[in-house]
Amino acid sequence: MNGIASPSPAPTPAPMPPPGLDLAAVKARQQSTWSSGDYAVIGTTLQIVGETLCEAASVSAGERVLDVACGNGNAALAAARRFARVTGVDYVPSLLERAGARAAADGLALELREGDAEALPFEDGAFDVVLSTFGVMFTPDQAHAAGELLRVCRSGGRIALASWTPDGFIGKVFQVVGRHVPPPAGLRPPAAWGTEARLHELFVPGARDVRAHRREYVFRYRSAAHWVEVFRTWYGPIHRAFAALPAEARPALERDLLALLEEANTATDGTLVVPGTYLEAVIVRA
């Protein structure tokens, strides 16, 4: 997607959430979900996405960089390796501890702050680059979160996002899980961030350039059963989905996930190799 938007200082207000939808309660449940399991086990495998996102955003030495919903620090660490001045923010303290440990192990300078992606604790225009890899896409109020990314990014700065697509592997995983444990009614699905149309809705009024490209991250596991074991144990949304189901209903979710994995598997050596499509976007702030 290549386009120039007319520069205006702030995004057009999006439609309000449906009446009766308690976003604060939804957010509290989401925070509890991401605090369950241990996302760092999954996040560490996704490091390459943070590296390629920093290249797409042309992160340079000395720039002020913010990684929003940073998890265990993939994009933040990638930016720090480029000698940027990096801050990571997340609302799960245990993940910030993991990011700090990784930075210390690599000898990288990294500031970490506890905070909400929908209420970032930073001044307007505080950063040259704002990043998020598979993080901000999970906020319940998407328009408000996008507004916060725009607010803390300086004029002419870049917002770079990696978001799973609805038609890719993880988008289909969300669909499978949603058939067994439906999400709250009225929320836009997280994978909407992985579509060009939604990016236009969220960012074009506050941006002067939006560019997006579909990329693939390849999941490599010992088997389909191994993938389910790892995600069921450590990945908050799937961990909680299994926990929310009565014991007799859990095998059906496992069977559906295994079927999806086997269908998507491209390996010929008995292991699991599944391409997962995501949208890499770079937005230049108006």
Side-chain angles (χ1 to χ4, degrees):
M1 175 173 66
N2 298 304
I4 303 296
S6 52
S8 58
T12 300
M16 293 296 291
L21 181 61
D22 187 344
L23 287 176
V26 170
K27 184 180 296 183
R29 288 196 297 272
Q30 287 186 339
Q31 185 173 11
S32 176
T33 293
W34 288 108
S35 298
S36 68
D38 185 353
Y39 177 75
V41 174
I42 309 298
T44 299
T45 69
L46 300 169
Q47 180 61 45
I48 192 172
V49 178
E51 302 292 343
T52 55
L53 189 66
C54 282
E55 287 301 300
S58 296
V59 172
S60 297
E63 287 194 305
R64 302 162 300 166
V65 177
L66 176 65
D67 183 7
V68 178
C70 66
N72 65 320
N74 286 348
L77 293 169
R81 274 189 276 275
R82 289 156 176 80
F83 301 99
R85 294 176 288 162
V86 186
T87 301
V89 62
D90 202 288
Y91 65 3
V92 180
S94 61
L95 291 177
L96 293 174
E97 291 175 6
R98 290 296 197 95
R102 294 177 73 194
D106 285 352
L108 298 172
L110 190 62
E111 179 185 356
L112 295 167
R113 296 274 298 272
E114 186 174 345
D116 182 354
E118 294 179 8
L120 293 171
F122 307 105
E123 296 180 357
D124 296 1
F127 297 95
D128 301 299
V129 183
V130 179
L131 308 169
S132 188
T133 58
F134 312 128
V136 73
M137 64 179 290
F138 290 100
T139 53
D141 190 338
Q142 296 184 0
H144 195 83
E148 281 292 276
L149 301 185
L150 287 163
R151 181 184 66 78
V152 301
C153 186
R154 68 165 174 82
S155 178
R158 291 95 68 205
I159 298 167
L161 308 170
S163 308
W164 300 115
T165 64
D167 58 348
F169 168 66
I170 293 295
K172 293 177 181 177
V173 168
F174 295 155
Q175 293 167 21
V176 168
V177 172
R179 290 198 295 270
H180 292 264
V181 183
L187 283 185
R188 294 290 293 265
W193 287 75
T195 66
E196 299 182 15
R198 185 59 174 154
L199 289 183
H200 266 291
E201 292 173 357
L202 291 171
F203 290 104
V204 160
R208 68 172 183 236
D209 188 41
V210 180
R211 301 176 187 274
H213 305 279
R214 288 166 68 91
R215 294 195 180 275
E216 284 189 348
Y217 168 79
V218 180
F219 293 86
R220 299 179 186 273
Y221 285 75
R222 292 194 288 267
S223 65
H226 179 225
W227 188 97
V228 172
E229 175 191 357
V230 170
F231 274 71
R232 179 175 182 169
T233 304
W234 305 115
Y235 186 66
I238 294 180
H239 177 83
R240 279 297 176 88
F242 275 101
L245 291 169
E248 64 273 15
R250 294 169 191 167
L253 174 56
E254 183 173 357
R255 284 195 299 270
D256 285 352
L257 288 171
L258 288 170
L260 175 63
L261 287 156
E262 296 292 0
E263 179 184 3
N265 191 10
T266 63
T268 58
D269 60 358
T271 66
L272 182 81
V273 177
V274 174
T277 305
Y278 68 94
L279 195 71
E280 178 188 86
V282 177
I283 299 134
V284 179
R285 182 70 166 93

